[in-house]
Amino acid sequence: EAGVTQFPSHSVIEKGQTVTLRCDPISGHDNLYWYRRVMGKEIKFLLHFVKESKQDESGMPNNRFLAERTGGTYSTLKVQPAELEDSGVYFCASSRWDRPYGYTFGSGTRLTVV
Amino acid sequence: DAKTTQPTSMDCAEGRAANLPCNHSTISGNEYVYWYRQIHSQGPQYIIHGLKNNETNEMASLIITEDRKSSTLILPHATLRDTAVYYCIVRLRTNTGNQFYFGTGTSLTVIP
């Protein structure tokens, strides 16, 4: 089966611009998660979807970040307007059930805000 | 507010056991310890997890101390393909689901 796909793999944008990251989970995986690693820090939880519903968005840093999962398939994470501190790697993971040993991570999107 | 601490880097000779330590002194009774690894340019991959008993699977063994304040991931016969960043993770289970708290990771280099 195809893995979790994220694109773009890299994005370089200027401060103040908008960027949209996309994640395509494994087909049939109801659970979708976003994590990110900002430079020099640990990978941190952002939010969790079950199908199209936001199950837990306690990790979203501020209201410049908007995540959607229309139709319960792919998900997008929009950053608007982007700030320098948003630079990092954004990972998406999916699982059939909410069991962490079943998480499959994508390769991540490296975002650089200049 | 890191829940786990790990050495930044380690080396291991090919064919020898790699022992990767992790401290999680503030872990709660219902929080599991997970290990994932990330090979260059890929996403993190699951290795093993446990609560309080030692665990073993085809990839590795996980030894958790009795007080659960630390654990060790053991790769019994390291190969060059095991060169990666290894993350020790505490899983917090909330009313709404699971959250991973990643450590900063240990960069393991397996030397020929």
Side-chain angles (χ1 to χ4, degrees):
Chain A
E1 64 181 0
V4 175
T5 305
Q6 293 186 247
F7 45 92
S9 56
H10 294 84
S11 180
V12 181
I13 62 170
E14 293 184 350
K15 176 183 173 181
Q17 289 186 322
T18 297
V19 63
T20 300
L21 314 180
R22 174 168 168 150
C23 170
D24 285 68
I26 293 173
S27 178
H29 282 195
D30 288 342
N31 293 274
L32 187 149
Y33 314 84
W34 285 96
Y35 281 78
R36 74 169 183 174
R37 181 177 59 227
V38 295
M39 298 310 173
K41 301 288 184 64
E42 301 88 359
I43 299 172
K44 291 192 175 180
F45 170 84
L46 294 178
L47 86 158
H48 169 203
F49 282 100
V50 178
K51 297 184 180 179
E52 67 277 6
S53 299
K54 292 177 184 175
Q55 184 77 1
D56 181 353
E57 53 182 331
S58 61
M60 295 288 267
N62 52 61
N63 58 10
R64 295 186 293 104
F65 289 76
L66 175 63
E68 295 180 323
R69 193 182 181 195
T70 306
T73 55
Y74 70 90
S75 174
T76 58
L77 180 64
K78 180 190 290 187
V79 185
Q80 179 182 27
E83 299 289 345
L84 299 178
E85 64 264 25
D86 301 331
S87 295
V89 181
Y90 290 75
F91 293 102
C92 174
S94 73
S95 66
R96 187 175 300 278
W97 300 283
D98 189 24
R99 294 174 186 171
Y101 51 83
Y103 288 7
T104 300
F105 280 84
S107 300
T109 293
R110 181 174 295 278
L111 174 65
T112 303
V113 183
V114 297
Chain B
D1 60 342
K3 285 183 173 282
T4 68
T5 55
Q6 303 174 249
T8 303
S9 63
M10 294 181 63
D11 293 338
C12 177
E14 186 179 17
R16 304 296 293 268
N19 297 283
L20 291 90
C22 178
N23 288 322
H24 31 79
S25 58
T26 61
I27 195 169
S28 299
N30 62 347
E31 292 178 338
Y32 280 72
V33 177
Y34 280 72
W35 285 82
Y36 272 65
R37 73 179 183 184
Q38 185 177 15
I39 297 172
H40 181 64
S41 80
Q42 299 180 18
Q45 299 171 315
Y46 169 78
I47 301 173
I48 199 167
H49 74 285
L51 181 62
K52 53 184 178 181
N53 297 321
N54 297 337
E55 302 288 344
T56 296
N57 62 22
E58 65 278 6
M59 290 183 66
S61 295
L62 174 61
I63 307 299
I64 302 175
T65 58
E66 191 169 346
D67 62 8
R68 301 207 328 119
K69 292 183 183 300
S70 65
S71 62
T72 301
L73 177 74
I74 301 172
L75 307 178
H77 306 287
T79 70
L80 299 180
R81 288 175 294 181
D82 292 323
T83 293
V85 177
Y86 288 77
Y87 292 102
C88 175
I89 299 164
V90 168
R91 185 200 86 179
L92 174 65
R93 184 158 184 84
T94 68
N95 291 333
T96 51
N98 293 289
Q99 291 186 21
F100 273 173
Y101 285 85
F102 281 76
T104 52
T106 295
S107 178
L108 175 70
T109 302
V110 180
I111 302 169

